[in-house]
Amino acid sequence: MRLDLYLVTDPDLTSGRPLLQVVAAALEGGVTAVQLRDKKAAPRDLLALGAEIWTLARRHHAAFIVNDRADLALALEADGVHVGSEDLPPLEARRLVPRPRLVGVSAATVEEALSAERAGADYVGAGPVFATATKPDAGEPIGVGGIAAIASAVRIPVVGIGGIDSSNAASVIEAGAAGVAVISAIVGAGDPEAAAREILSRVREALERQGAVRPPAGERP
Ligand code: TZP
Ligand code: MG
């Protein structure tokens, strides 16, 4: 599964547009993975929304990942679950969500990334790389230096997150990330399809410059 451009959803940033419309446009623009992230919706509503996103993602051969909730990821037969520091610990998430499904884990430090790798994570989401208003409690930016440190410490793919847009996406890949995860620069864009296409071009150009032959997430390095 390719994590080159990993869209994370946020229902509050669509400027009133239906989230599904925004996700469909982003998929048209080439996002390679979509994570359903909604901190407020009830599980039943997440199941319904997840099923619709999953249908769209499958049509575009993109991965579908559920944030926080292993139970919903399994119920939806999603490609994986993503857990952070307040969710199921990585080891428990791995036990509940066996391969070939993905377990992604958030990490802000080398220690957290190594611990996620030891617990069986398939990739780490590392950040916030840059300052972002989308997640006010995300902590201090780790910068591209933080991405470089984490990417050189672990063997699993690293996906940068936080404040990433078309102007800085290449720098995150050049620091060693396998991909970038984006909320506001796509969900909040006037034209999410064009935004996704633009960021994906920057990512792919940078991956090519890196001669990136990193295995996709879920394949052992
Ligand atoms: N985790 C770390 S930063 C962040 C999350 C979920 C928010 C990323 O959103 P944006 O709008 O791409 O900065
Ligand atoms: Mg979480």
Side-chain angles (χ1 to χ4, degrees):
M1 270 169 265
R2 304 290 331 181
L3 303 177
D4 305 22
L5 178 53
Y6 183 146
L7 173 71
V8 180
T9 66
D10 186 325
D12 295 332
L13 294 179
T14 64
S15 307
R17 298 167 295 189
L19 182 65
L20 278 178
Q21 180 188 316
V22 172
V23 170
L27 284 161
E28 277 301 317
V31 303
T32 58
V34 180
Q35 180 192 114
L36 172 61
R37 179 178 186 270
D38 183 332
K39 299 285 185 184
K40 293 183 248 170
R44 253 174 225 216
D45 296 329
L46 284 173
L47 268 184
L49 180 60
E52 297 201 77
I53 294 180
W54 196 187
T55 302
L56 288 174
R58 199 182 267 126
R59 204 176 287 155
H60 287 84
H61 309 289
F64 172 61
I65 292 166
V66 176
N67 189 45
D68 298 343
R69 305 275 307 243
D71 55 344
L72 296 183
L74 289 173
L76 284 161
E77 300 183 9
D79 288 312
V81 65
H82 186 94
V83 291
S85 57
E86 294 175 359
D87 306 316
L88 278 177
L91 209 52
E92 299 306 319
R94 179 79 283 169
R95 206 164 58 80
L96 290 175
V97 182
R99 296 197 169 87
R101 297 192 202 283
L102 300 180
V103 172
V105 176
S106 301
T109 64
V110 167
E111 290 67 35
E112 286 171 6
L114 285 170
S115 150
E117 182 173 58
R118 279 194 298 271
D122 296 297
Y123 73 91
V124 290
V129 188
F130 307 109
T132 176
T134 306
K135 185 171 161 51
D137 63 350
E140 283 300 302
I142 64 170
V144 290
I147 292 293
I150 290 171
S152 58
V154 297
R155 286 175 303 162
I156 54 179
V158 174
V159 178
I161 184 164
I164 298 174
D165 58 23
S166 62
S167 75
N168 57 24
S171 68
V172 181
I173 301 298
E174 280 153 9
V180 299
V182 171
I183 303 183
S184 55
I186 294 176
V187 178
D191 185 341
E193 178 180 341
R197 188 166 284 127
E198 182 67 25
I199 300 169
L200 185 62
S201 310
R202 300 287 89 77
V203 166
R204 292 258 158 93
E205 287 159 9
L207 285 171
E208 270 169 39
R209 282 198 297 277
Q210 297 285 100
V213 281
R214 296 185 193 94
E219 290 173 25
R220 307 313 293 163

